[in-house]
């Protein structure tokens, strides 16, 4: 009568499997870290664009000037009225135009220290008129910004994709990729 023998994993087989797993992880880790950095960039750029659009919509809705303020130059921002009105003329129990309508803090998972934000002017403040147009000057006399560059400085990878948020005088904003230079490509930052 023959008996079937149960066989386990030998030490050599275990070492070979662990070595293969180590090689796969070593190859995949840089790509994963680039993927995560690109996701942080995209999330931050979209949050900033959404905040700008919110400020514009609030100006149109309230018929008053509103500001988008990210003067800390991180991923946090505040949308508020240019000239606050504490009265409640519409009877909803809230001020008609508060200092702070909405804010966003720490939009990037894992903190904002990994993100670098650069604006071209205005120190991170933009003011919209009651018609939703960008004012030529903010209330403090500074020039409003027209673009925000978002990147992760400590990731050295060829796959890193910094993004730019562009703002037009008409008040519309969009996210684009400054590295795309092909004419007619909708991802490009051309006007």
């Amino acid at each position: 009568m023959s008996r079937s023998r149960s066989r386990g994993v030998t030490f050599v087989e275990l070492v070979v499997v662990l070595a293969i797993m180590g090689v796969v992880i070593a190859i995949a880790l840089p790509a994963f870290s680039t993927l995560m950095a690109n996701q942080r960039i995209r999330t931050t750029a979209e949050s900033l664009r959404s905040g700008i659009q919110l400020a514009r919509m609030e100006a149109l809705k309230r018929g008053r000037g509103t500001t988008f303020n990210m003067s800390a130059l991180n991923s946090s921002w505040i949308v508020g009225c240019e000239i606050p009105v504490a009265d409640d003329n519409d009877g909803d129990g809230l001020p008609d135009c508060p200092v702070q309508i909405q804010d966003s803090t720490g939009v990037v998972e894992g903190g904002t220290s990994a993100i670098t934000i650069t604006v071209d002017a205005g120190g991170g403040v933009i003011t919209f008129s009651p018609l939703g147009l960008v004012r030529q000057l903010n209330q403090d006399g500074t020039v409003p910004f027209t673009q925000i560059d978002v990147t992760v400085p400590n990731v050295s990878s060829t796959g890193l994709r910094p993004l730019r948020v562009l703002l037009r005088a008409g008040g519309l904003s969009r996210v684009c990729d400054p590295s795309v230079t092909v004419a007619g490509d909708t991802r490009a930052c051309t006007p």
Side-chain angles (χ1 to χ4, degrees):
M1 206 169 197
S2 97
R3 222 194 271 179
S4 78
R5 226 167 114 188
S6 154
R7 183 172 171 236
V9 177
T10 67
F11 180 72
V12 173
E13 291 170 333
L14 181 62
V15 168
V16 168
V17 168
L18 290 176
I20 291 171
M21 286 177 55
V23 169
V24 169
I25 289 172
I27 291 171
L29 194 58
F32 182 72
S33 114
T34 300
L35 174 75
M36 293 306 295
N38 284 333
Q39 186 59 39
R40 285 194 307 266
I41 291 169
R42 169 72 57 193
T43 301
T44 300
E46 288 295 338
S47 171
L48 294 171
R49 188 196 62 77
S50 294
I52 291 168
Q53 287 305 107
L54 174 69
R56 182 173 185 262
M57 291 298 114
E58 287 293 332
L60 290 168
K61 179 176 95 175
R62 295 173 187 274
R64 300 182 183 275
T66 59
T67 61
F68 172 82
N69 185 337
M70 53 168 260
S71 57
L73 292 183
N74 60 24
S75 60
S76 359
W77 49 262
I78 297 172
V79 171
C81 290
E82 179 183 27
I83 301 170
V85 177
D87 296 338
D88 180 19
N89 296 322
D90 57 5
D92 65 356
L94 300 169
D96 286 343
C97 206
V99 173
Q100 182 173 330
I101 297 170
Q102 187 172 337
D103 71 339
S104 175
T105 55
V107 296
V108 179
E109 216 174 283
T112 60
S113 61
I115 295 291
T116 298
I117 295 175
T118 312
V119 295
D120 63 343
V125 177
I126 191 162
T127 305
F128 291 95
S129 74
L131 297 175
L133 303 174
V134 177
R135 294 232 171 128
Q136 290 182 352
L137 292 175
N138 293 319
Q139 190 174 18
D140 62 0
T142 59
V143 176
F145 63 85
T146 58
Q147 77 180 36
I148 306 168
D149 289 318
V150 182
T151 190
V152 176
N154 298 329
V155 175
S156 59
S157 173
T158 56
L160 190 66
R161 305 296 288 199
L163 294 176
R164 178 174 291 157
V165 180
L166 288 178
L167 181 66
R168 302 291 174 225
L172 297 177
S173 62
R174 71 184 191 99
V175 175
C176 61
D177 186 343
S179 65
V180 174
T181 56
V182 178
D185 193 330
T186 57
R187 298 171 299 153
C189 292
T190 56

